[in-house]
Amino acid sequence: MSFLKRERTLKISASQWYFIIISLFGIIVFGFVNKAEFLNYTLQEWTWLYALTGATLILDHFAFQLPPKGNGQSMDSSVYLACMFIYGPAFALSVCLLTLIISSVYYKKPFWKDLANFNIYVLMISGASIVFTATGGTIGTLENEKILSYLAALTTYFFINVLVIGFFYVILMRSTLYEALKSFFKDIILVYLSTLILSLALTILISSNGVFGLTLFIALSTMLSYSFKQLFTMYNDIQEKATRDQRTGLFNHSYFESLLDEEIVKASQNDTPLSLVMIDIDDFKKYNDQFGHLKGDMLLGFLGHFLHEECEPAEVVASRFGGEEFTILMPGYDEGAASEFVNRLRKKLNDTYYEGVEIFPSGCLSFSAGIASHRVDIHDKAQLVDFADQAMYYAKKQGKNNVHIYGSSSAKEHEIDFAEDVRDIEQQLKLFLYKDVDTFKHSKRVFRYAMDMSTVLKLDSVDRRHFILGALIHDIGKLEIPWGILNKKGKLTAEEWETVKNHVVWGKRIAETNEKLKELVPFIELHHERYDGGGYPHGYSGKQIPRLCRMLTIIDSFDAMTTERPYQKTKTYEEGIAELRRCSGTQFDPELTELFIGYMEQRMLEQQQPAAGMESS
């Protein structure tokens, strides 16, 4: 396989060293195996050498493309292996050498590329030959009883090729060998194995029918190569249509979502920055109303082309999100670098004339953009999109033609009537008054704890709002639990416990239906996750759980322990504190646990709370 066809993405310094080492090693192995035997070939041997070299050149000429883009595959390996089986490794390397010389002269490619490919073939052929001989294989016609030797040789040839390519990708992409091999296996293993099996067929054809067998094989392989080429052309066309937005030429929404998932996983695993930009064309409706939808579509196409031209060199991915909204996914960019890039983009668009822009208030094309950066506690792509979306709408509110980073102006960004939000949520909680008054009281107590702890934690206005409202509504999903289970006096069965545990998922769904509550979803969904990963619904651990959700877990548990419940013994505050300490580091974040305990001890001291005191609200 000629992986050197991917030279466009080569990182010169590291990969050149890699090729130099491979080439030096290959030349040494060639000298040791071939020993210039071609100087003593008979006329018949030279005839076969020319014939088999011609076969490899023809098959190399009909090489076809494989995914990913830039990757190629030819069937010349089948000729080298057949040579090795019939005439031995020295003869196979002679064919390889003559092919290198003719190919370099004819195609006039940089010699070092052909040389590196040649030496990789040398290593593959020599390695396969050693295994073939070691497992009992003999040079000559194919022997059925030694089929295992042939399979061992083919496997060795394949794995040497895989390892060489794998290390190349490790150097080029800075990924792990496992990731590189996984991608390789996924994409081309079947095609590659077909090539190896063809070598056995060629061995039989040459042994039994000589030149006619070789001619027959070349004809068959050429047709197969052409068919593969057509097949992958069709594959590329279909893939292009499935991932591209026809109006703008950018990637479509589905592809964006898929890519966002992948990039979030990579950013989390490698602890690398990742930013998401949401873009909305300013006053696009006005343009549509003035010139009609056809012209509006042309404007979308223009902006799509503009984004593509600007984003591709920066190695960031622009997609059409929907309507007049676009996204730019920026791996490796923190919010500062992303802001610098998008602001430069915005100014360039302002200075780019487009027909009809005179009707816009600013007299030019413009967009508003919001930027959100990935954090370790963001697990759901929808949350990152939501943050970027909120930042974009804030940019709109500031008069459009703006770029805003999520959370950078929190005091202004979240100017809300906090008391009104509390009242709205309390109205919803009152449904518990007839279904489960204990949950209503519990929510109010946890809310009050959260009010105090937001001061202890010195939260800013945004986090304070989220934490307190999240504490108030964290058990909203219990409204979906059947009344009989919610108010059962005895011990719950395993099945009933599973129903109760579902309240975090049901609560999340309820919150997602209300625009105002969406930001509180993590508190509702994650307040039963444990610090050691033993919680539910996801089993997140440590810092995977947002800090304030970890704090809410402590408050929620402490209140549950120290207030009267129908299915457990009530603990005193002292017993509750002891239980928190016992579970610190397993169920609870140890640092936050000590903060809460310090707050409780201070509160008990100030209020001269009796040791056996219990909340009675």
Side-chain angles (χ1 to χ4, degrees):
M1 174 168 179
S2 181
F3 70 85
L4 292 176
K5 292 171 183 174
R6 304 198 63 179
E7 73 280 3
R8 287 184 180 179
T9 57
L10 211 63
K11 292 193 174 181
I12 300 301
S13 57
S15 52
Q16 274 191 331
W17 275 112
Y18 181 70
F19 292 143
I20 289 170
I21 294 170
I22 291 286
S23 295
L24 288 176
F25 190 48
I27 289 170
I28 294 170
V29 172
F30 179 85
F32 182 77
V33 176
N34 186 268
K35 299 174 181 172
E37 282 189 5
F38 49 83
L39 297 175
N40 303 314
Y41 285 165
T42 63
L43 180 60
Q44 185 181 17
E45 288 173 325
W46 273 107
T47 302
W48 270 107
L49 180 62
Y50 286 133
L52 291 165
T53 300
T56 59
L57 290 170
I58 290 172
L59 294 177
D60 190 55
H61 179 74
F62 284 98
F64 46 90
Q65 296 297 307
L66 288 174
K69 188 178 180 180
N71 205 0
Q73 171 77 36
S74 74
M75 294 190 175
D76 52 357
S77 285
S78 55
V79 177
Y80 294 135
L81 282 165
C83 287
M84 186 197 78
F85 292 142
I86 299 172
Y87 303 109
F91 190 85
L93 294 186
S94 295
V95 173
C96 197
L97 176 63
L98 190 55
T99 302
L100 164 71
I101 295 170
I102 296 174
S103 178
S104 299
V105 172
Y106 182 78
Y107 291 109
K108 297 179 179 176
K109 292 187 292 187
F111 182 72
W112 68 269
K113 296 180 182 176
D114 282 331
L115 181 64
N117 256 341
F118 163 76
N119 284 298
I120 292 169
Y121 278 121
V122 168
L123 297 179
M124 292 155 60
I125 293 167
S126 302
S129 171
I130 292 170
V131 172
F132 181 63
T133 306
T135 53
T138 53
I139 305 300
T141 56
L142 192 141
E143 299 174 81
N144 294 343
E145 65 274 12
K146 295 181 178 176
I147 191 65
L148 291 179
S149 298
Y150 292 96
L151 292 178
L154 294 177
T155 304
T156 304
Y157 186 89
F158 172 70
F159 274 105
I160 291 175
N161 194 187
V162 166
L163 285 176
V164 171
I165 294 173
F167 282 117
F168 172 74
Y169 279 108
V170 169
I171 294 171
L172 185 67
M173 306 293 184
R174 296 183 180 179
S175 63
T176 64
L177 184 61
Y178 170 75
E179 288 296 325
L181 295 183
K182 188 173 71 172
S183 172
F184 178 80
F185 273 85
K186 179 182 174 186
D187 292 332
I188 67 166
I189 185 171
L190 287 180
V191 176
Y192 198 93
L193 288 179
S194 299
T195 303
L196 296 181
I197 293 171
L198 279 174
S199 67
L200 296 181
L202 179 59
T203 303
I204 296 171
L205 285 170
I206 292 178
S207 301
S208 59
N209 296 87
V211 173
F212 179 74
L214 177 62
T215 306
L216 191 64
F217 175 81
I218 293 173
L220 177 63
S221 298
T222 302
M223 285 189 286
L224 277 175
S225 295
Y226 184 76
S227 300
F228 276 128
K229 188 175 182 179
Q230 293 298 100
L231 188 65
F232 282 106
T233 299
M234 190 186 305
Y235 165 84
N236 285 331
D237 288 344
I238 294 172
Q239 188 182 45
E240 189 78 2
K241 288 177 182 174
T243 59
R244 293 281 179 181
D245 174 63
Q246 299 301 308
R247 186 76 60 202
T248 62
L250 298 176
F251 289 113
N252 58 26
H253 189 114
S254 298
Y255 181 81
F256 160 71
E257 287 204 353
S258 166
L259 190 63
L260 181 58
D261 271 332
E262 292 176 15
E263 293 299 338
I264 285 178
V265 171
K266 285 182 189 173
S268 299
Q269 290 178 344
N270 303 325
D271 194 23
T272 51
L274 170 68
S275 291
L276 173 64
V277 183
M278 290 286 294
I279 287 177
D280 187 273
I281 305 175
D282 293 332
D283 301 301
F284 181 69
K285 183 176 183 304
K286 189 172 184 177
Y287 191 89
N288 257 346
D289 292 344
Q290 180 77 20
F291 299 107
H293 289 281
L294 187 58
K295 295 283 283 185
D297 287 346
M298 292 172 69
L299 174 58
L300 290 174
F302 171 79
L303 192 67
H305 179 73
F306 174 83
L307 290 175
H308 176 74
E309 292 293 314
E310 295 297 323
C311 291
E312 191 173 58
E315 298 184 347
V316 296
V317 182
S319 306
R320 186 183 182 191
F321 192 72
E324 67 270 29
E325 290 186 343
F326 300 85
T327 62
I328 304 177
L329 192 55
M330 309 183 73
Y333 284 71
D334 60 21
E335 57 190 24
S339 176
E340 186 179 339
F341 175 82
V342 179
N343 262 313
R344 184 189 61 76
L345 210 63
R346 182 183 59 79
K347 289 173 185 172
K348 186 168 183 177
L349 185 65
N350 291 164
D351 296 336
T352 304
Y353 178 76
Y354 190 78
E355 183 183 356
V357 295
E358 297 81 6
I359 67 159
F360 292 137
S362 54
C364 65
L365 271 178
S366 68
F367 61 72
S368 299
I371 299 171
S373 291
H374 174 258
R375 305 187 313 243
V376 68
D377 57 353
I378 293 180
H379 313 286
D380 190 345
K381 65 186 176 189
Q383 196 177 0
L384 190 60
V385 172
D386 190 44
F387 288 165
D389 197 47
Q390 289 179 41
M392 183 190 73
Y393 277 105
Y394 178 77
K396 288 270 186 193
K397 285 183 200 171
Q398 302 312 303
K400 304 176 183 175
N401 199 14
N402 267 311
V403 177
H404 181 68
I405 298 172
Y406 176 79
S408 62
S409 299
S410 55
K412 293 180 181 177
E413 188 177 353
H414 296 275
E415 284 176 357
I416 59 166
D417 187 340
F418 182 68
E420 184 179 330
D421 281 348
V422 172
R423 282 197 298 273
D424 287 347
I425 293 176
E426 283 184 325
Q427 286 299 318
Q428 298 185 47
L429 289 179
K430 283 183 179 176
L431 292 171
F432 281 118
L433 288 175
Y434 78 89
K435 188 168 185 177
D436 176 24
V437 69
D438 289 331
T439 299
F440 177 81
K441 290 180 177 179
H442 166 70
S443 299
K444 296 294 291 288
R445 286 191 298 271
V446 173
F447 163 74
R448 287 197 290 273
Y449 279 132
M451 290 277 284
D452 291 346
M453 289 309 298
S454 67
T455 303
V456 174
L457 294 169
K458 298 178 181 175
L459 300 182
D460 61 31
S461 60
V462 177
D463 284 342
R464 178 175 178 274
R465 173 186 179 273
H466 291 169
F467 183 48
I468 293 172
L469 294 181
L472 187 58
I473 203 171
H474 73 283
D475 268 341
I476 188 72
K478 285 188 176 177
L479 284 171
E480 298 296 316
I481 300 174
W483 190 93
I485 297 176
L486 206 56
N487 293 277
K488 187 175 180 180
K489 302 301 180 187
K491 187 176 179 181
L492 297 180
T493 64
E495 186 179 352
E496 289 169 337
W497 264 118
E498 289 304 313
T499 302
V500 171
K501 286 164 69 175
N502 270 332
H503 78 277
V504 295
V505 178
W506 294 328
K508 176 184 177 184
R509 290 174 187 164
I510 292 171
E512 285 176 338
T513 61
N514 187 326
E515 199 64 35
K516 278 188 171 183
L517 304 182
K518 279 185 177 178
E519 292 175 343
L520 309 181
V521 163
F523 296 96
I524 298 168
E525 185 183 16
L526 305 177
H527 71 275
H528 281 291
E529 297 289 359
R530 289 171 54 110
Y531 191 72
D532 60 2
Y536 66 88
H538 302 295
Y540 293 151
S541 63
K543 292 184 179 178
Q544 282 186 305
I545 309 166
R547 182 170 181 257
L548 295 181
C549 293
R550 283 178 264 148
M551 188 76 246
L552 177 58
T553 303
I554 296 169
I555 296 173
D556 182 46
S557 300
F558 183 78
D559 183 75
M561 286 186 281
T562 56
T563 54
E564 187 177 347
R565 295 290 178 104
Y567 49 83
Q568 70 173 33
K569 179 181 177 295
T570 305
K571 287 182 169 57
T572 65
Y573 282 171
E574 286 79 2
E575 290 172 335
I577 288 172
E579 183 67 9
L580 288 183
R581 283 214 166 94
R582 190 182 70 79
C583 300
S584 176
T586 53
Q587 184 174 354
F588 307 121
D589 182 311
E591 182 184 342
L592 295 177
T593 301
E594 286 307 314
L595 273 177
F596 180 73
I597 289 173
Y599 150 75
M600 279 304 302
E601 289 175 340
Q602 182 65 27
R603 175 175 150 174
M604 289 161 62
L605 183 65
E606 289 175 356
Q607 297 179 358
Q608 296 182 335
Q609 183 73 32
M614 285 173 45
E615 191 79 2
S616 60
S617 60

